[in-house]
Short mmCIF file of all heavy atoms in Angstrom, two decimals:
data_model
loop_
_atom_site.label_atom_id
_atom_site.label_comp_id
_atom_site.label_asym_id
_atom_site.label_seq_id
_atom_site.Cartn_x
_atom_site.Cartn_y
_atom_site.Cartn_z
N MET A 2 4.24 15.72 -95.67
CA MET A 2 5.11 14.73 -95.02
C MET A 2 4.76 13.30 -95.43
O MET A 2 5.46 12.37 -95.10
CB MET A 2 4.99 14.84 -93.48
CG MET A 2 5.66 16.08 -92.92
SD MET A 2 7.44 15.85 -92.67
CE MET A 2 7.48 15.03 -91.07
N LYS A 3 3.59 13.16 -96.13
CA LYS A 3 3.21 11.79 -96.53
C LYS A 3 4.12 11.28 -97.64
O LYS A 3 4.63 12.05 -98.44
CB LYS A 3 1.76 11.78 -97.02
CG LYS A 3 0.75 11.79 -95.88
CD LYS A 3 -0.63 11.34 -96.34
CE LYS A 3 -1.58 11.27 -95.16
NZ LYS A 3 -2.91 10.81 -95.54
N ARG A 4 4.34 9.99 -97.62
CA ARG A 4 5.14 9.39 -98.68
C ARG A 4 4.48 8.08 -99.10
O ARG A 4 3.69 7.49 -98.35
CB ARG A 4 6.55 9.13 -98.18
CG ARG A 4 6.57 8.09 -97.06
CD ARG A 4 7.96 7.83 -96.57
NE ARG A 4 8.50 9.02 -95.92
CZ ARG A 4 9.80 9.23 -95.72
NH1 ARG A 4 10.68 8.34 -96.11
NH2 ARG A 4 10.22 10.29 -95.10
N SER A 5 4.82 7.63 -100.27
CA SER A 5 4.24 6.40 -100.78
C SER A 5 5.06 5.21 -100.27
O SER A 5 6.27 5.20 -100.37
CB SER A 5 4.24 6.43 -102.31
OG SER A 5 3.75 5.19 -102.77
N VAL A 6 4.37 4.24 -99.71
CA VAL A 6 5.03 3.06 -99.18
C VAL A 6 4.41 1.83 -99.82
O VAL A 6 3.18 1.73 -99.92
CB VAL A 6 4.88 2.99 -97.64
CG1 VAL A 6 5.37 1.67 -97.10
CG2 VAL A 6 5.63 4.14 -96.98
N SER A 7 5.26 0.90 -100.26
CA SER A 7 4.75 -0.35 -100.84
C SER A 7 4.78 -1.43 -99.77
O SER A 7 5.84 -1.71 -99.20
CB SER A 7 5.63 -0.81 -102.01
OG SER A 7 5.80 0.25 -102.90
N LEU A 8 3.63 -1.99 -99.51
CA LEU A 8 3.54 -3.04 -98.50
C LEU A 8 3.02 -4.32 -99.14
O LEU A 8 2.07 -4.29 -99.93
CB LEU A 8 2.59 -2.61 -97.37
CG LEU A 8 3.01 -1.39 -96.55
CD1 LEU A 8 1.90 -1.02 -95.57
CD2 LEU A 8 4.31 -1.66 -95.80
N SER A 9 3.65 -5.44 -98.79
CA SER A 9 3.19 -6.72 -99.28
C SER A 9 2.40 -7.40 -98.16
O SER A 9 2.98 -7.79 -97.15
CB SER A 9 4.38 -7.58 -99.71
OG SER A 9 3.91 -8.86 -100.06
N ILE A 10 1.09 -7.46 -98.35
CA ILE A 10 0.22 -7.96 -97.28
C ILE A 10 -0.59 -9.15 -97.79
O ILE A 10 -1.31 -9.03 -98.79
CB ILE A 10 -0.72 -6.85 -96.78
CG1 ILE A 10 0.10 -5.65 -96.29
CG2 ILE A 10 -1.62 -7.36 -95.65
CD1 ILE A 10 -0.71 -4.39 -96.13
N ASN A 11 -0.46 -10.25 -97.12
CA ASN A 11 -1.18 -11.47 -97.51
C ASN A 11 -0.97 -11.81 -98.98
O ASN A 11 -1.89 -12.19 -99.69
CB ASN A 11 -2.68 -11.33 -97.19
CG ASN A 11 -2.90 -11.05 -95.71
OD1 ASN A 11 -2.15 -11.53 -94.86
ND2 ASN A 11 -3.92 -10.26 -95.40
N GLY A 12 0.28 -11.57 -99.43
CA GLY A 12 0.63 -11.94 -100.79
C GLY A 12 0.23 -10.93 -101.85
O GLY A 12 0.46 -11.14 -103.04
N ARG A 13 -0.36 -9.81 -101.42
CA ARG A 13 -0.78 -8.79 -102.39
C ARG A 13 0.01 -7.50 -102.17
O ARG A 13 0.23 -7.11 -101.02
CB ARG A 13 -2.27 -8.47 -102.22
CG ARG A 13 -3.19 -9.28 -103.11
CD ARG A 13 -4.61 -8.73 -103.05
NE ARG A 13 -4.71 -7.33 -103.49
CZ ARG A 13 -5.78 -6.57 -103.28
NH1 ARG A 13 -6.81 -7.04 -102.61
NH2 ARG A 13 -5.80 -5.32 -103.72
N ALA A 14 0.40 -6.85 -103.23
CA ALA A 14 1.14 -5.59 -103.11
C ALA A 14 0.15 -4.44 -102.95
O ALA A 14 -0.86 -4.36 -103.66
CB ALA A 14 2.00 -5.37 -104.35
N HIS A 15 0.43 -3.57 -101.97
CA HIS A 15 -0.40 -2.38 -101.74
C HIS A 15 0.51 -1.17 -101.76
O HIS A 15 1.62 -1.22 -101.25
CB HIS A 15 -1.09 -2.43 -100.38
CG HIS A 15 -2.06 -3.55 -100.23
ND1 HIS A 15 -3.41 -3.40 -100.44
CD2 HIS A 15 -1.88 -4.85 -99.87
CE1 HIS A 15 -4.03 -4.56 -100.22
NE2 HIS A 15 -3.11 -5.46 -99.88
N SER A 16 0.02 -0.09 -102.32
CA SER A 16 0.76 1.16 -102.26
C SER A 16 -0.10 2.15 -101.48
O SER A 16 -1.25 2.39 -101.83
CB SER A 16 1.03 1.67 -103.68
OG SER A 16 1.81 2.83 -103.58
N VAL A 17 0.45 2.68 -100.39
CA VAL A 17 -0.33 3.61 -99.56
C VAL A 17 0.50 4.85 -99.27
O VAL A 17 1.71 4.79 -99.16
CB VAL A 17 -0.76 2.97 -98.22
CG1 VAL A 17 -2.01 2.15 -98.37
CG2 VAL A 17 0.35 2.13 -97.61
N ASP A 18 -0.20 5.99 -99.15
CA ASP A 18 0.47 7.23 -98.76
C ASP A 18 0.35 7.38 -97.25
O ASP A 18 -0.77 7.45 -96.73
CB ASP A 18 -0.19 8.42 -99.46
CG ASP A 18 0.11 8.42 -100.95
OD1 ASP A 18 1.15 7.86 -101.33
OD2 ASP A 18 -0.71 8.96 -101.72
N VAL A 19 1.50 7.38 -96.59
CA VAL A 19 1.47 7.44 -95.12
C VAL A 19 2.49 8.45 -94.60
O VAL A 19 3.48 8.76 -95.27
CB VAL A 19 1.81 6.07 -94.48
CG1 VAL A 19 0.82 5.01 -94.94
CG2 VAL A 19 3.23 5.65 -94.80
N GLU A 20 2.23 8.97 -93.42
CA GLU A 20 3.23 9.75 -92.70
C GLU A 20 4.22 8.77 -92.07
O GLU A 20 3.81 7.66 -91.69
CB GLU A 20 2.58 10.58 -91.59
CG GLU A 20 1.71 11.70 -92.10
CD GLU A 20 1.06 12.46 -90.95
OE1 GLU A 20 0.94 11.91 -89.84
OE2 GLU A 20 0.70 13.62 -91.16
N PRO A 21 5.49 9.16 -91.90
CA PRO A 21 6.45 8.26 -91.25
C PRO A 21 5.99 7.83 -89.86
O PRO A 21 6.32 6.74 -89.40
CB PRO A 21 7.72 9.10 -91.17
CG PRO A 21 7.61 10.07 -92.29
CD PRO A 21 6.15 10.39 -92.42
N ARG A 22 5.20 8.67 -89.20
CA ARG A 22 4.80 8.34 -87.83
C ARG A 22 3.63 7.35 -87.77
O ARG A 22 3.23 6.92 -86.69
CB ARG A 22 4.42 9.61 -87.07
CG ARG A 22 3.21 10.32 -87.64
CD ARG A 22 2.85 11.51 -86.79
NE ARG A 22 1.81 12.33 -87.40
CZ ARG A 22 1.21 13.32 -86.76
NH1 ARG A 22 1.55 13.62 -85.53
NH2 ARG A 22 0.28 14.02 -87.37
N ALA A 23 3.06 7.00 -88.92
CA ALA A 23 1.90 6.09 -88.92
C ALA A 23 2.33 4.70 -88.47
O ALA A 23 3.30 4.13 -88.99
CB ALA A 23 1.29 6.03 -90.31
N LEU A 24 1.61 4.16 -87.52
CA LEU A 24 1.89 2.80 -87.06
C LEU A 24 1.32 1.81 -88.07
O LEU A 24 0.29 2.09 -88.71
CB LEU A 24 1.27 2.57 -85.68
CG LEU A 24 1.73 3.55 -84.59
CD1 LEU A 24 0.88 3.38 -83.33
CD2 LEU A 24 3.21 3.36 -84.27
N LEU A 25 1.96 0.67 -88.18
CA LEU A 25 1.49 -0.35 -89.13
C LEU A 25 0.03 -0.71 -88.87
O LEU A 25 -0.76 -0.85 -89.81
CB LEU A 25 2.39 -1.59 -89.05
CG LEU A 25 2.02 -2.75 -89.95
CD1 LEU A 25 1.99 -2.35 -91.43
CD2 LEU A 25 3.00 -3.92 -89.75
N VAL A 26 -0.34 -0.81 -87.59
CA VAL A 26 -1.72 -1.21 -87.28
C VAL A 26 -2.72 -0.18 -87.79
O VAL A 26 -3.81 -0.54 -88.26
CB VAL A 26 -1.90 -1.48 -85.77
CG1 VAL A 26 -1.81 -0.21 -84.93
CG2 VAL A 26 -3.22 -2.20 -85.51
N GLN A 27 -2.36 1.10 -87.74
CA GLN A 27 -3.28 2.14 -88.23
C GLN A 27 -3.45 2.02 -89.74
O GLN A 27 -4.57 2.17 -90.25
CB GLN A 27 -2.72 3.53 -87.90
CG GLN A 27 -2.65 3.82 -86.42
CD GLN A 27 -1.83 5.07 -86.13
OE1 GLN A 27 -0.89 5.39 -86.85
NE2 GLN A 27 -2.19 5.77 -85.06
N VAL A 28 -2.36 1.76 -90.43
CA VAL A 28 -2.43 1.65 -91.89
C VAL A 28 -3.25 0.42 -92.28
O VAL A 28 -4.08 0.47 -93.18
CB VAL A 28 -1.01 1.62 -92.49
CG1 VAL A 28 -1.06 1.35 -93.98
CG2 VAL A 28 -0.30 2.94 -92.20
N LEU A 29 -3.01 -0.70 -91.58
CA LEU A 29 -3.78 -1.91 -91.87
C LEU A 29 -5.27 -1.66 -91.70
O LEU A 29 -6.08 -2.01 -92.57
CB LEU A 29 -3.34 -3.06 -90.95
CG LEU A 29 -1.95 -3.63 -91.19
CD1 LEU A 29 -1.62 -4.65 -90.09
CD2 LEU A 29 -1.86 -4.30 -92.56
N ARG A 30 -5.63 -1.04 -90.60
CA ARG A 30 -7.04 -0.89 -90.26
C ARG A 30 -7.71 0.27 -91.01
O ARG A 30 -8.77 0.11 -91.61
CB ARG A 30 -7.21 -0.68 -88.75
CG ARG A 30 -6.90 -1.92 -87.91
CD ARG A 30 -7.05 -1.60 -86.43
NE ARG A 30 -8.37 -1.07 -86.12
CZ ARG A 30 -9.44 -1.82 -85.91
NH1 ARG A 30 -9.34 -3.15 -85.90
NH2 ARG A 30 -10.60 -1.27 -85.67
N ASP A 31 -7.06 1.45 -90.96
CA ASP A 31 -7.72 2.67 -91.42
C ASP A 31 -7.55 2.91 -92.92
O ASP A 31 -8.41 3.49 -93.56
CB ASP A 31 -7.20 3.89 -90.65
CG ASP A 31 -7.43 3.74 -89.14
OD1 ASP A 31 -8.25 2.88 -88.75
OD2 ASP A 31 -6.80 4.47 -88.37
N ASP A 32 -6.41 2.49 -93.47
CA ASP A 32 -6.18 2.73 -94.90
C ASP A 32 -6.57 1.53 -95.74
O ASP A 32 -7.02 1.68 -96.86
CB ASP A 32 -4.70 3.08 -95.14
CG ASP A 32 -4.32 4.41 -94.53
OD1 ASP A 32 -4.95 5.42 -94.89
OD2 ASP A 32 -3.43 4.45 -93.65
N LEU A 33 -6.33 0.32 -95.22
CA LEU A 33 -6.57 -0.87 -96.03
C LEU A 33 -7.79 -1.67 -95.55
O LEU A 33 -8.13 -2.69 -96.12
CB LEU A 33 -5.32 -1.76 -96.02
CG LEU A 33 -4.08 -1.06 -96.58
CD1 LEU A 33 -2.82 -1.87 -96.34
CD2 LEU A 33 -4.26 -0.78 -98.07
N TYR A 34 -8.44 -1.18 -94.49
CA TYR A 34 -9.67 -1.79 -93.97
C TYR A 34 -9.49 -3.26 -93.57
O TYR A 34 -10.43 -4.05 -93.63
CB TYR A 34 -10.83 -1.63 -94.95
CG TYR A 34 -11.02 -0.18 -95.36
CD1 TYR A 34 -10.82 0.24 -96.67
CD2 TYR A 34 -11.36 0.78 -94.40
CE1 TYR A 34 -10.95 1.57 -97.02
CE2 TYR A 34 -11.49 2.12 -94.75
CZ TYR A 34 -11.29 2.50 -96.05
OH TYR A 34 -11.41 3.82 -96.39
N LEU A 35 -8.24 -3.63 -93.22
CA LEU A 35 -8.01 -4.98 -92.71
C LEU A 35 -8.20 -4.92 -91.19
O LEU A 35 -7.24 -4.86 -90.42
CB LEU A 35 -6.60 -5.45 -93.10
CG LEU A 35 -6.40 -5.67 -94.59
CD1 LEU A 35 -4.94 -5.84 -94.95
CD2 LEU A 35 -7.20 -6.90 -95.06
N THR A 36 -9.46 -4.93 -90.79
CA THR A 36 -9.79 -4.65 -89.39
C THR A 36 -9.74 -5.90 -88.51
O THR A 36 -10.11 -5.84 -87.34
CB THR A 36 -11.17 -3.99 -89.28
OG1 THR A 36 -12.11 -4.82 -89.96
CG2 THR A 36 -11.17 -2.59 -89.89
N GLY A 37 -9.30 -7.02 -89.07
CA GLY A 37 -9.11 -8.21 -88.25
C GLY A 37 -7.98 -8.03 -87.26
O GLY A 37 -7.92 -8.71 -86.23
N THR A 38 -7.06 -7.14 -87.55
CA THR A 38 -5.97 -6.82 -86.63
C THR A 38 -6.50 -5.81 -85.62
O THR A 38 -6.95 -4.73 -86.00
CB THR A 38 -4.77 -6.23 -87.40
OG1 THR A 38 -4.37 -7.17 -88.40
CG2 THR A 38 -3.60 -5.97 -86.46
N HIS A 39 -6.49 -6.19 -84.35
CA HIS A 39 -7.16 -5.36 -83.33
C HIS A 39 -6.17 -4.48 -82.57
O HIS A 39 -4.98 -4.78 -82.50
CB HIS A 39 -7.90 -6.26 -82.35
CG HIS A 39 -9.07 -6.97 -82.97
ND1 HIS A 39 -9.68 -8.06 -82.38
CD2 HIS A 39 -9.71 -6.76 -84.14
CE1 HIS A 39 -10.67 -8.48 -83.17
NE2 HIS A 39 -10.70 -7.71 -84.24
N ILE A 40 -6.70 -3.41 -81.99
CA ILE A 40 -5.92 -2.56 -81.08
C ILE A 40 -6.49 -2.75 -79.68
O ILE A 40 -7.67 -2.45 -79.45
CB ILE A 40 -6.00 -1.08 -81.48
CG1 ILE A 40 -5.44 -0.87 -82.89
CG2 ILE A 40 -5.24 -0.21 -80.46
CD1 ILE A 40 -5.65 0.54 -83.42
N GLY A 41 -5.66 -3.26 -78.78
CA GLY A 41 -6.20 -3.53 -77.45
C GLY A 41 -5.72 -2.58 -76.38
O GLY A 41 -6.46 -2.23 -75.47
N CYS A 42 -4.44 -2.16 -76.44
CA CYS A 42 -3.90 -1.49 -75.26
C CYS A 42 -3.20 -0.17 -75.53
O CYS A 42 -3.17 0.69 -74.68
CB CYS A 42 -2.92 -2.43 -74.54
SG CYS A 42 -1.35 -2.67 -75.42
N ASP A 43 -2.58 -0.01 -76.67
CA ASP A 43 -1.82 1.20 -76.97
C ASP A 43 -0.54 1.33 -76.14
O ASP A 43 0.08 2.37 -76.10
CB ASP A 43 -2.69 2.44 -76.77
CG ASP A 43 -2.30 3.57 -77.72
OD1 ASP A 43 -1.67 3.27 -78.75
OD2 ASP A 43 -2.61 4.73 -77.42
N THR A 44 -0.16 0.29 -75.43
CA THR A 44 1.07 0.36 -74.62
C THR A 44 2.01 -0.81 -74.94
O THR A 44 2.88 -1.14 -74.14
CB THR A 44 0.76 0.35 -73.12
OG1 THR A 44 -0.09 -0.77 -72.82
CG2 THR A 44 0.07 1.62 -72.67
N SER A 45 1.85 -1.44 -76.08
CA SER A 45 2.74 -2.52 -76.53
C SER A 45 2.70 -3.75 -75.65
O SER A 45 3.66 -4.51 -75.60
CB SER A 45 4.20 -2.03 -76.64
OG SER A 45 4.29 -0.96 -77.51
N GLN A 46 1.61 -3.96 -74.93
CA GLN A 46 1.59 -5.07 -73.99
C GLN A 46 0.63 -6.20 -74.34
O GLN A 46 0.90 -7.35 -74.00
CB GLN A 46 1.26 -4.55 -72.58
CG GLN A 46 2.48 -3.93 -71.92
CD GLN A 46 2.14 -3.11 -70.71
OE1 GLN A 46 1.17 -2.36 -70.71
NE2 GLN A 46 2.95 -3.23 -69.68
N CYS A 47 -0.49 -5.91 -75.03
CA CYS A 47 -1.55 -6.91 -75.08
C CYS A 47 -1.42 -7.90 -76.24
O CYS A 47 -1.97 -8.98 -76.17
CB CYS A 47 -2.92 -6.24 -75.12
SG CYS A 47 -3.37 -5.60 -76.73
N GLY A 48 -0.75 -7.52 -77.32
CA GLY A 48 -0.56 -8.45 -78.43
C GLY A 48 -1.76 -8.63 -79.34
O GLY A 48 -1.69 -9.42 -80.29
#
Side-chain angles (χ1 to χ4, degrees):
Chain A
M2 288 277 277
K3 281 198 176 181
R4 65 180 66 199
S5 176
V6 171
S7 309
L8 296 174
S9 175
I10 303 165
N11 302 327
R13 267 190 61 194
H15 296 264
S16 183
V17 277
D18 290 334
V19 301
E20 291 179 338
R22 64 177 172 171
L24 302 171
L25 178 58
V26 69
Q27 294 168 329
V28 174
L29 290 174
R30 290 178 56 83
D31 300 344
D32 293 302
L33 301 170
Y34 307 116
L35 293 168
T36 53
T38 303
H39 293 164
I40 299 173
C42 72
D43 211 21
T44 53
S45 302
Q46 281 166 318
C47 79

